[in-house]
Amino acid sequence: MLTRAPTYDALHDGFRWTLPEGLNMAVQVCDARAHATPEALAIIDLTDGARRDVTCGALYTLSRRVEATLRRRGVDRGDRVGVLLSQSPLCAAAHLAAWRMGAISVPLFKLFQGDALRTRLEDCGARIVVTDIDGAFLLSELGVAALVEADLTDPPTDAPPADTGPETPAVLIYTSGTTGKPKGALHGHRVLTGHLPGVEMSHDFLGQPGDVLWTPADWAWIGGLFDVLMPGLALGVPVVAARADKFTPETCAQVIREGRVRNVFFPPTALRMLKAADASLPGLRSVASGGEPLGAEMLAWGRDALDVTINEFYGQTECNMVASSCAALFDPRPGCIGRAVPGFDVAVIDEAGQPTTDEGAIAIRRGCASMLLEYWGNPQATAEKFRGDWLLTGDRGTIEGGYIRFVGREDDVITSAGYRIGPSEIEDCLLTHPAVATVGVVGKPDSLRTEIVKAYVVLKPGARASAETLQDWVKARLASYSYPREIAFLDALPMTVTGKVIRKDLKSMAAEEGA
Ligand code: ATP
Ligand code: MG
């Protein structure tokens, strides 16, 4: 756990990773606390309408029952165990069971249909998938073994936890697929330890008396599983499980009220929906956001409507919670993703791999606890992910006095008439227009200018604005070369299951229009 320090520098400079030789995430998250404080609250289960409190002891017993059944069904150390469940105690228990026995859990989104599921299951070669009735039906069509709650007939096992260490593979998480085919990032048992400082920081020191943590994001995403569920459990902060099928401002307010939630991780999409609905959510102590740019507009809205300073953080499936803001320690700089989290050496490097003060590649030095072991079954992609001592995030940015500014993904930076333009600044600017609900900006191939800036805009229900009005809006606020020369209006933007704009789809739309 982070030792609370009076300044960011003291916090960052005084930090060292401590990774014991023997490390098992199930023990770290659950077993130790189940033995010491079995009655302590672990999960507040709101999935069934009424509130049900799941203690550490109950979660432990459930995961031991899953483990017993997995063992009986032949699962062994190193085998891949899919977890196809929405937020629920069983979802948490399934991961814990797999980790305790030295198997590798593979989180899978409930929203995945046939093809999305098939490609991932084939890629990882899952032996069995812990799921619910709908999931079992889908899996039977794919010919993959399923384990559902009704199968848990074995008594809890008391087999000793597998002899694992920080580098032993524990979890295989697929990236969001925003830029291309999702890649399987394989992580060791150290990955949770690697997330803790960032989680604590982005919640202004999570773990204060009365803290209760929730996210509307799916627990199959790194942002749900390792930024919320597992860190909450490991730090002794109760975590709310709620149905995530449909996010609306009303259900969100209800979950916060019924779960007495004080700490939330809202991806920017969720915040944009709350803002478009003029929602207000009382009683929150901390709000963290990440996964996409938050933007100055949303930061200002958070202060106004939620009465908190939203802490933006940054990371990726391959290496997470790398940078964060922390309102308890410093004022955020609008448009910046915060400062390096203790334990992470973040730099912007040039082509030669040297740190630069210009715009360059955002890179993370090897040696932090949450860095992936490898891409599953893809040594070439693993090799390409690194340059010397640095992991290349694939994102571009600058560092200004320790604050990291996100410019855009490598392939998203728009080259127009010799200028390099980051789409996020333009998106942020368009979002400040009162008629705009959400927006995606991409480069559209252009014979004269290489690319032109094209904006796809979704207006708020009932709102109106012409392309010209929006162009003038940007021209008046940003560099004249970066205004969108073309604007198209859509009913909705293409989204990944993690709620991110699928930029590759917008780009191919733009390319087709241009052809
Ligand atoms: P894929 O790698 O399959 O294309 P993805 O990169 O979206 O998908 P994730 O690992 O879920 O998959 O997302 C990590 C990426 O999200 C980062 O590399 C970065 O581009 C973006 N991101 C995360 N946090 C922020 C943030 N605060 N601001 C801007 N972008 C962010
Ligand atoms: Mg990525």
Side-chain angles (χ1 to χ4, degrees):
M1 223 175 144
L2 280 181
T3 317
R4 194 167 180 150
T7 65
Y8 165 79
D9 289 328
L11 193 72
H12 189 265
D13 299 348
F15 186 89
R16 297 285 170 277
W17 296 110
T18 40
L19 289 164
E21 213 171 286
L23 181 62
N24 185 293
M25 282 198 290
V27 178
Q28 182 184 11
V29 168
C30 177
D31 303 9
R33 294 189 64 235
H35 293 129
T37 52
E39 294 308 319
L41 185 54
I43 294 179
I44 299 168
D45 182 6
L46 300 179
T47 57
D48 265 345
R51 173 179 168 136
R52 193 169 68 89
D53 286 350
V54 179
T55 62
C56 294
L59 180 63
Y60 174 78
T61 306
L62 181 60
S63 79
R64 282 300 208 168
R65 286 174 55 209
V66 179
E67 188 186 335
T69 311
L70 289 174
R71 286 180 188 274
R72 175 168 56 76
R73 303 273 293 263
V75 172
D76 225 333
R77 196 184 164 107
D79 284 347
R80 273 77 62 210
V81 175
V83 182
L84 178 62
L85 287 164
S86 47
Q87 296 190 357
S88 59
L90 182 61
C91 178
H95 286 288
L96 296 172
W99 298 341
R100 197 183 289 106
M101 57 196 292
I104 300 170
S105 72
V106 185
L108 299 161
F109 284 87
K110 274 297 301 213
L111 285 170
F112 283 159
Q113 291 306 309
D115 275 353
L117 206 53
R118 181 186 298 113
T119 48
R120 287 165 180 84
L121 289 171
E122 279 175 0
D123 184 65
C124 74
R127 178 163 193 133
I128 192 166
V129 179
V130 186
T131 186
D132 57 14
I133 298 293
D134 311 334
F137 182 73
L138 212 56
L139 290 164
S140 72
E141 290 186 334
L142 301 177
V144 177
L147 189 165
V148 298
E149 194 146 21
D151 297 327
L152 301 179
T153 47
D154 303 67
T157 171
D158 57 3
D163 173 22
T164 54
E167 307 296 319
T168 312
V171 56
L172 174 55
I173 312 186
Y174 286 89
T175 59
S176 291
T178 311
T179 50
K181 210 167 146 269
K183 303 168 286 276
L186 183 67
H187 282 282
H189 281 266
R190 58 176 154 78
V191 65
L192 173 62
T193 305
H195 278 76
L196 294 179
V199 174
E200 290 175 76
M201 194 171 154
S202 64
H203 287 285
D204 294 325
F205 298 98
L206 187 68
Q208 313 289 313
D211 277 359
V212 173
L213 185 58
W214 175 62
T215 182
D218 200 296
W219 289 355
W221 184 36
I222 186 122
L225 191 63
F226 281 105
D227 296 350
V228 174
L229 173 64
M230 295 301 168
L233 295 176
L235 294 169
V237 176
V239 178
V240 168
R243 282 218 179 286
D245 342 335
K246 205 166 168 224
F247 178 85
T248 65
E250 295 74 33
T251 53
C252 176
Q254 195 182 349
V255 169
I256 289 174
R257 206 170 45 244
E258 287 177 6
R260 292 195 208 106
V261 173
R262 295 218 310 164
N263 320 85
V264 192
F265 162 43
F266 279 130
T269 337
L271 287 170
R272 288 193 289 265
M273 286 169 77
L274 291 167
K275 176 171 177 275
D278 270 333
S280 74
L281 303 168
L284 297 179
R285 183 180 76 75
S286 65
V287 173
S289 187
E292 275 193 311
L294 174 71
E297 174 62 13
M298 296 309 300
L299 185 66
W301 173 80
R303 285 189 167 140
D304 225 41
L306 305 179
D307 203 22
V308 294
T309 299
I310 301 173
N311 286 329
E312 178 167 11
F313 66 84
Y314 164 86
Q316 52 181 210
T317 309
E318 295 88 339
C319 186
N320 202 18
M321 294 196 82
V322 167
S324 179
S325 294
C326 180
L329 290 179
F330 54 88
D331 280 338
R333 286 206 190 156
C336 287
I337 50 183
R339 304 167 81 172
V341 165
F344 294 85
D345 187 357
V346 187
V348 166
I349 60 171
D350 60 18
E351 283 302 311
Q354 293 305 313
T356 167
T357 49
D358 297 333
E359 185 203 299
I362 302 178
I364 308 153
R365 197 190 290 274
R366 285 184 205 261
C368 58
S370 63
M371 197 167 277
L372 82 166
L373 300 170
E374 61 181 39
Y375 284 121
W376 182 257
N378 197 342
Q380 193 190 336
T382 309
E384 285 167 6
K385 186 73 181 164
F386 292 90
R387 186 182 298 157
D389 229 12
W390 299 98
L391 174 145
L392 302 172
T393 59
D395 296 319
R396 309 279 301 175
T398 55
I399 296 193
E400 304 156 12
Y403 290 77
I404 303 155
R405 185 174 295 278
F406 175 87
V407 172
R409 292 168 185 263
E410 209 113 83
D411 309 335
D412 289 348
V413 176
I414 302 163
T415 311
S416 190
Y419 293 104
R420 290 174 54 74
I421 306 167
S424 46
E425 194 183 23
I426 307 168
E427 289 168 3
D428 194 26
C429 179
L430 281 165
L431 267 180
T432 61
H433 190 281
V436 174
T438 171
V439 53
V441 167
V442 296
K444 172 176 169 176
D446 183 84
S447 51
L448 186 66
R449 298 186 163 82
T450 317
E451 284 180 307
I452 58 161
V453 176
K454 168 118 198 187
Y456 290 93
V457 172
V458 179
L459 294 176
K460 287 183 188 164
R464 298 169 70 131
S466 69
E468 207 185 348
T469 316
L470 297 180
Q471 285 169 328
D472 289 343
W473 184 267
V474 180
K475 273 189 210 165
R477 287 165 177 80
L478 297 181
S480 58
Y481 56 80
S482 62
Y483 85 94
R485 284 179 185 270
E486 284 185 20
I487 293 188
F489 295 93
L490 300 177
D491 292 337
L493 297 181
M495 290 282 193
T496 66
V497 288
T498 54
K500 296 188 189 207
V501 177
I502 308 179
R503 318 196 68 94
K504 65 174 190 294
D505 287 4
L506 290 182
K507 277 195 229 168
S508 41
M509 267 163 73
E512 275 163 32
E513 290 163 15

